[in-house]
Amino acid sequence: MHSVKFVNEIVTPSKVVCVGRNYAAHIAELNNETPTSMVLFVKPNSALTQSLYAKHGSEQLHYEAELCFLVKNKQLAGVGLGLDLTKRDLQTQLKQKSLPWERAKAFDGAALFTEFVPVNESGQYQFSLHIDGKLAQLGDTQLMIHTAQQILAEINEFMSLQDGDIIMTGTPEGVGKVISGATFNVALKDDTTQVSTHQWQAI
């Protein structure tokens, strides 16, 4: 089983619950329709990895940087950043056939996470992804269609969240291909204070 770090604890999520289409600009860049209800899907524990791969088998992977929350005692306890890796061509084919996304989203190595830190009282965050020093994605809780608390409530309507489970809140515009050798730097900010940073090297 794969684990993540929350302050000084090592936590093993049973699952990762992801929100799709939670930023209007990202919906537009992929030419998707704005959903009338929240889009949710799940990545299993086996999707977690420490390594950022450019490909899964022979298939090219795309990155999506996301604000993430760790659940404890049925509340949002920790906050961090993650990469939701996607087989974009396969996902497009599945969507065209109205089929589930798991083959494109839940494969082994499809989710990477920074260390999680305690959430603040305001719940307001900003985050960025730089690739080889160039800004690729910029996210802000104020731009999200559904807030983290709304997402938590929606999930709780039909699914039990265990301690350590992770919620990925969706990605802003700027997604693209993972290129082998590229350096990915993510930074999480709380108003004007930098909360955490992390770096991955794509292989």
Side-chain angles (χ1 to χ4, degrees):
M1 297 287 282
H2 300 281
S3 301
V4 296
K5 190 174 182 182
F6 176 36
V7 192
N8 295 319
E9 298 180 63
I10 301 298
V11 180
T12 303
S14 69
K15 58 187 171 294
V16 178
V17 184
C18 307
V19 182
R21 305 181 187 178
N22 201 24
Y23 286 82
H26 174 60
I27 294 172
E29 76 173 337
L30 294 187
N31 295 315
N32 288 323
E33 294 182 2
T34 301
T36 55
S37 59
M38 198 180 298
V39 176
L40 297 169
F41 60 95
V42 174
K43 292 178 186 272
N45 177 276
S46 57
L48 274 66
T49 183
Q50 300 287 333
S51 300
L52 174 56
Y53 291 101
K55 292 185 176 181
H56 184 263
S58 61
E59 296 184 72
Q60 176 71 52
L61 300 182
H62 284 224
Y63 63 83
E64 299 183 3
E66 307 197 13
L67 180 68
C68 305
F69 291 91
L70 186 142
V71 175
K72 192 171 184 180
N73 298 322
K74 303 186 183 303
Q75 300 296 323
L76 303 176
V79 62
L81 297 174
L83 293 180
D84 170 9
L85 299 183
T86 305
K87 297 179 180 180
R88 186 71 69 203
D89 291 343
L90 177 57
Q91 185 192 30
T92 300
Q93 294 170 20
L94 294 170
K95 287 192 297 186
Q96 289 173 346
K97 297 177 181 179
S98 298
L99 293 173
W101 296 355
E102 275 72 13
R103 288 181 180 272
K105 287 281 195 179
F107 53 90
D108 291 354
L112 296 89
F113 298 100
T114 66
E115 179 178 345
F116 287 82
V117 298
V119 297
N120 64 18
E121 291 185 4
S122 72
Q124 300 298 315
Y125 294 98
Q126 303 82 42
F127 66 93
S128 62
L129 166 66
H130 285 77
I131 302 175
D132 291 335
K134 183 178 180 180
L135 181 64
Q137 290 189 274
L138 195 61
D140 192 313
T141 47
Q142 296 188 30
L143 298 176
M144 289 164 49
I145 296 172
H146 307 289
T147 68
Q149 288 294 341
Q150 289 171 337
I151 296 167
L152 177 65
E154 182 92 1
I155 295 169
N156 281 330
E157 288 184 1
F158 70 98
M159 183 187 299
S160 296
L161 290 169
Q162 309 300 321
D163 283 357
D165 284 353
I166 295 171
I167 297 172
M168 302 188 79
T169 62
T171 194
E173 65 178 324
V175 301
K177 294 179 181 179
V178 179
I179 304 301
S180 180
T183 301
F184 283 61
N185 285 286
V186 291
L188 175 63
K189 290 184 178 180
D190 170 354
D191 295 322
T192 58
T193 304
Q194 185 161 278
V195 176
S196 65
T197 61
H198 193 85
Q199 181 180 103
W200 292 286
Q201 193 80 26
I203 55 178

